[in-house]
Structure formats: C-alpha cells, structure tokens
Amino acid sequence: NATTSGLTAVVLGSDVTNNNAVANTIADVTGLSFSVLANKTYYFKFVIRYTAAAATTGSRWGVNCTAGLATNLTFTSEYTLTATTSTRNAMVQAFDSPAASNATSVVAVNKAIIEGHFTPTADGTFIARFASEVANSAIVAKAGSVVYYQQTN
C-alpha cells in the first residue's frame, strides 16, 4: 500500500558555496538532504536557487547517498545555462552525474531542479550535490532552496 501522508519538505537553512581549487569538483549541498531506508522507494524533487561568481562559470547538479549503491536510481536534472536556456539531463542513473559541468550561468538568478525516484540498497542520507565548472569560482546554493520527498512503499 502506498502512503498518502504527502510530501515532506527540507529547507536549506544557509548558503552553501562550492569554489573548489579544482574545477568540476563535486560537493554536498550540506543541509539539503533526507534520511532513507534500505529497500524503500522514494520520490524526490530538489528545487535549488543558486548564484554564480561569473556568467562564464557553469555548474552541474546531481545526487548521492552516504551508503549503498545507486541501484534503481533514475532522475532528471535541469539547471540554468543562460537567462532563457537550460541544461537538461534525462534518465540519469548514477550518483554524482552528470560528469561534466555546463559552460555558463546567470550571475544572480539560477535554478536547478533534480527530480526522480530512488530505492537505496542501504540506510543512509540522500543529498543534493553540485560543482563549479571553473576553479576558485563560486557556485552558491542559496538558503531557502528545498527538497520535497516521500517514501512510496
């Protein structure tokens, strides 16, 4: 039987910056996560507002879990490329994917959406992850970003 209790929301309490000295180094969006149980299926949707240090700094957005494998993970991610276009990755089935960042962002107003389903192989914490395309150039996940999730079995 599916649960009918509705979605749970976790709101990011403070900004999280990735300005790693090595380009395209993926890192946790610390605080934008939820606990998962082995062999239970979850629907999730991350809606992340972010800024970029420069319009020439791209990003990438994915997910990870602190334990277990990406078995039965499938999601679509979409995030800003320009003021009127986006990068879309459909049917992603691996942690920390896509492997490459896109090439640009808008400096002040960007959004990443990561939506899908996951059945973890072990208990753990499921979390959004992100990278900056340019070394030492900040991509900042903004406070107020949110993840909605629900266990579906």
Side-chain angles (χ1 to χ4, degrees), residues 48-130:
I48 304 167
R49 294 175 26 252
Y50 67 96
T51 59
T56 54
T57 301
S59 64
R60 67 179 169 121
W61 297 84
V63 296
N64 202 349
C65 194
T66 57
L69 305 172
T71 307
N72 298 315
L73 169 67
T74 184
F75 67 90
T76 299
S77 63
E78 187 169 3
Y79 39 93
T80 305
L81 186 61
T82 70
T84 58
T85 62
S86 60
T87 297
R88 184 173 188 273
N89 306 288
M91 295 303 296
V92 181
Q93 298 179 0
F95 290 146
D96 293 340
S97 291
S101 294
N102 65 10
T104 60
S105 297
V106 176
V107 174
V109 181
N110 298 279
K111 180 168 62 173
I113 297 174
I114 309 166
E115 183 175 22
H117 289 86
F118 177 49
T119 305
T121 61
D123 294 0
T125 301
F126 191 71
I127 191 164
R129 307 255 288 163
F130 70 133

